[in-house]
Amino acid sequence: MCQKLGYTQYTWGTIINDQRFGRSNNQSNLNYINCDSEHTDLDDCSVYNKTSSGCYISTSTCGTEYGLRCYNPGECTDGEVRLADGVIEQEGRPEVCINGVWGSICQWSWSTTDGYVFCNSLGYDGPNPWTYYYAYYGSGYGPVVWSSVHCSGWEQNIHECSKSIYPSFTCYSSYVAGVLCKEGCKDGDVRLVGGDYTNEGTVEVCYDDLWGLVGDTGWNDGDAKVVCSQLGHADGIALPMH
């Protein structure tokens, strides 16, 4: 279908099953169309019609009217990985770049080990990431490109793990995986980031294996001095900044 519409540079599409594009409520004698991966035109596919004279499509008499999203490549470089649509940078919907398009991962068999390897791919080396299911971070825009991902834990990149690759599986975008990565810090650790020198920057504190910011409400000289002392700058003057 996508090739018929002119999307000839990318072979995958996303089936939309939530009727977000609306319903036509038209009469139809078409039952279904069956296309194989080697078909290059919709006219090559097998068409199966209903044996009756047709059916009026309505909410009460018919199931779902499916939608389709097609893609053109060029939005990313093959092999890249990212987290999308999280509130903080360490969380989101795992996505991988395949054939120049960002795609998500189906939740089937998605585990803590799989999430750990994916997080390692992004440089997060903390243990026990939190895994999420049922499009917790949204269904995304791209296709679902992988399913049944299985990592052993020693892999350096999620691409090294075994997996099923589309179109050898069926998974709707409402069943994509999510993850919250953890970092290699201990609760109570502090650091300064973003400064021009090692003795300045935005204060971050480790809590629950994640680096987080400190609100400036009530932030004063005493607070700044404690942070500086913890970082080994005990003899100088601590200057709080807002």
Side-chain angles (χ1 to χ4, degrees):
M1 178 68 78
C2 288
Q3 291 190 13
K4 186 76 170 180
L5 293 171
Y7 296 90
T8 58
Q9 300 181 54
Y10 192 76
T11 57
W12 299 344
T14 296
I15 298 173
I16 309 296
N17 68 335
D18 58 9
Q19 301 184 134
R20 69 185 66 178
F21 305 122
R23 294 179 60 89
S24 65
N25 292 321
N26 291 331
Q27 290 182 337
S28 174
N29 195 41
L30 177 66
N31 194 1
Y32 66 92
I33 298 175
N34 182 33
C35 299
D36 294 327
S37 58
E38 65 268 15
H39 288 154
T40 59
D41 193 283
L42 197 61
D43 294 334
D44 299 330
C45 303
S46 301
V47 177
Y48 298 87
N49 291 324
K50 295 185 176 73
T51 56
S52 62
S53 59
C55 153
Y56 183 74
I57 300 176
S58 67
T59 303
S60 60
T61 61
C62 186
T64 303
E65 289 191 29
Y66 288 90
L68 178 66
R69 179 178 289 133
C70 304
Y71 305 93
N72 280 321
E75 60 187 46
C76 56
T77 301
D78 284 9
E80 290 183 311
V81 298
R82 71 176 183 181
L83 291 172
D85 296 336
V87 176
I88 59 176
E89 65 180 15
Q90 299 97 333
E91 67 174 355
R93 182 179 57 259
E95 293 189 344
V96 295
C97 183
I98 305 293
N99 298 331
V101 174
W102 285 112
S104 53
I105 300 174
C106 187
Q107 69 184 31
W108 309 134
S109 81
W110 183 248
S111 68
T112 300
T113 303
D114 304 328
Y116 173 77
V117 173
F118 187 91
C119 292
N120 268 347
S121 303
L122 293 170
Y124 298 112
D125 56 355
N128 302 319
W130 296 351
T131 51
Y132 296 93
Y133 307 91
Y134 299 104
Y136 184 85
Y137 294 104
S139 58
Y141 184 82
V144 183
V145 295
W146 288 353
S147 182
S148 302
V149 174
H150 178 73
C151 304
S152 298
W154 53 263
E155 299 89 348
Q156 297 298 309
N157 192 291
I158 192 69
H159 288 275
E160 300 174 14
C161 302
S162 65
K163 65 190 77 68
S164 295
I165 300 175
Y166 185 85
S168 63
F169 64 88
T170 298
C171 182
Y172 297 119
S173 57
S174 54
Y175 294 97
V176 297
V179 68
L180 169 63
C181 299
K182 296 301 184 76
E183 301 184 84
C185 62
K186 298 179 181 179
D187 285 6
D189 287 349
V190 296
R191 68 180 182 182
L192 300 174
V193 298
D196 292 329
Y197 305 97
T198 58
N199 60 336
E200 67 176 7
T202 301
V203 178
E204 290 189 347
V205 177
C206 183
Y207 177 74
D208 198 15
D209 300 317
L210 290 171
W211 287 110
L213 301 173
V214 178
D216 65 357
T217 302
W219 183 251
N220 56 35
D221 293 2
D223 303 324
K225 186 172 180 60
V226 170
V227 170
C228 289
S229 294
Q230 188 169 343
L231 292 172
H233 305 289
D235 299 328
I237 297 173
L239 179 63
M241 304 183 70
H242 298 263

